[in-house]
Amino acid sequence: MKRMLVMVAVAALVATSSAAFAGQAAAPTKKPGQLIVGLDPPAVGFQVGTLRGQSVLNPHGFEIDLAKAIGTKLGISKITWLHVPFTTLFRPGAKPFDFAFEESTITTARKRAVDFSASYFDANQGVLLSKTASTPHSLADLKKDSICTQSTTTGNDYVVHHLHPKTIHSYTTTAAAFSAVSAGRCDAFVMDVPIIASQKKTRPSSYGAIAGQIITNEKYGAVLAKGSTLTPFVSNAIKALTKSGTIGKLQKKWFNINVAEIPVLK
């Protein structure tokens, strides 16, 4: 009888372990065994893909590899890539995705409407010049210029509420803002350092220099619906991938940019 009790206890332990593993594999996604990940390409280095209707086909980049790594941690290999415009990302209410990766800075205001995962990337704002613009050496110099921004971004917030330049040209997409600074419709585009640095590296002849960075100490997180039961699963996966060095390796793979070499504008 004692042996039988021991065997029952062992069997229960195995069952409990299996259930825990199964629970981890069966993360509370919208569709069991699948992930729906929101994207808004292009963001060179982070995510590039082909838009077809609401789908993003053949995406690649840092956030794509990271989403796949999170899926592996959750025991999920099937991922659907959904196009979600950045301008709609922080609206309150239900979301069509499990989580979205769109270089989204975690802010108190945004957290009132959505959940954020643990941070997976640190960034400051950067200043990308047009080919005809003179180089600003301070924020006082920069505010004399005409500035391009992407609406609803923290870069736009900084320009509007802190920099107060003579002229602001705001665009709804990153691509449109890059086109504007490339065409000389503004002197500089203020956007996250890794995004402008990756774009400049990819198309060096289309822009002037990266004039500098503005220290804002921003952190990116995955966006989820407010109160999502999936949030701790995604956060724990990101923390594990950070601890294992996986995220650091992916950053080196996709960016290989020495941010410390970019001067700070004060």
Side-chain angles (χ1 to χ4, degrees):
M1 178 63 71
K2 184 176 181 181
R3 182 182 178 188
M4 183 176 293
L5 289 173
V6 170
M7 291 176 66
V8 169
V10 170
L13 180 61
V14 171
T16 301
S17 300
S18 298
F21 180 81
Q24 178 68 12
T29 55
K30 287 184 171 294
K31 295 182 179 180
Q34 299 182 41
L35 270 178
I36 301 174
V37 178
L39 304 173
D40 190 22
V44 176
F46 284 96
Q47 51 177 269
V48 175
T50 301
L51 300 182
R52 186 164 298 171
Q54 291 186 306
S55 298
V56 182
L57 306 181
N58 303 314
H60 57 277
F62 168 77
E63 288 173 321
I64 308 306
D65 283 358
L66 180 55
K68 292 176 181 177
I70 290 171
T72 298
K73 285 289 184 185
L74 300 182
I76 297 173
S77 58
K78 185 174 181 179
I79 301 179
T80 298
W81 309 102
L82 181 69
H83 180 219
V84 180
F86 188 82
T87 52
T88 70
L89 195 56
F90 305 111
R91 292 175 182 171
K95 304 296 180 186
F97 50 78
D98 290 303
F99 64 83
F101 270 153
E102 301 191 14
E103 312 86 61
S104 304
T105 298
I106 301 168
T107 70
T108 300
R110 290 172 176 176
K111 286 170 71 173
R112 296 189 187 106
V114 299
D115 274 3
F116 280 100
S117 70
S119 173
Y120 63 89
F121 204 98
D122 296 342
N124 292 314
Q125 290 299 309
V127 179
L128 178 65
L129 301 178
S130 72
K131 289 180 287 186
T132 58
S134 57
T135 302
H137 299 289
S138 67
L139 294 177
D141 289 344
L142 182 62
K143 71 189 300 180
K144 298 173 186 175
D145 292 335
S146 62
I147 306 296
C148 283
T149 70
Q150 181 183 352
S151 58
T152 74
T153 64
T154 51
N156 182 77
D157 288 346
Y158 178 85
V159 170
V160 171
H161 299 296
H162 298 282
L163 187 62
H164 307 296
K166 68 174 185 179
T167 307
I168 302 173
H169 303 275
S170 185
Y171 298 88
T172 57
T173 67
T174 313
F178 274 126
S179 294
V181 72
S182 176
R185 290 194 291 274
C186 56
D187 297 312
F189 177 26
V190 174
M191 187 62 172
D192 305 36
V193 167
I195 295 175
I196 64 167
S198 296
Q199 182 76 4
K200 169 68 175 175
K201 188 176 180 179
T202 302
R203 297 178 56 195
S205 62
S206 296
Y207 313 97
I210 297 175
Q213 59 181 314
I214 303 165
I215 303 300
T216 51
N217 295 314
E218 300 177 38
K219 296 182 180 297
Y220 296 166
V223 176
L224 301 94
K226 188 69 176 175
S228 173
T229 55
L230 185 62
T231 301
F233 287 79
V234 177
S235 289
N236 289 338
I238 288 173
K239 290 174 184 177
L241 292 166
T242 299
K243 186 175 181 180
S244 69
T246 299
I247 287 181
K249 291 175 182 176
L250 292 179
Q251 289 177 348
K252 183 174 179 60
K253 171 185 175 181
W254 287 104
F255 301 104
N256 199 26
I257 296 166
N258 188 352
V259 174
E261 293 181 350
I262 301 175
V264 174
L265 297 179
K266 298 179 181 179

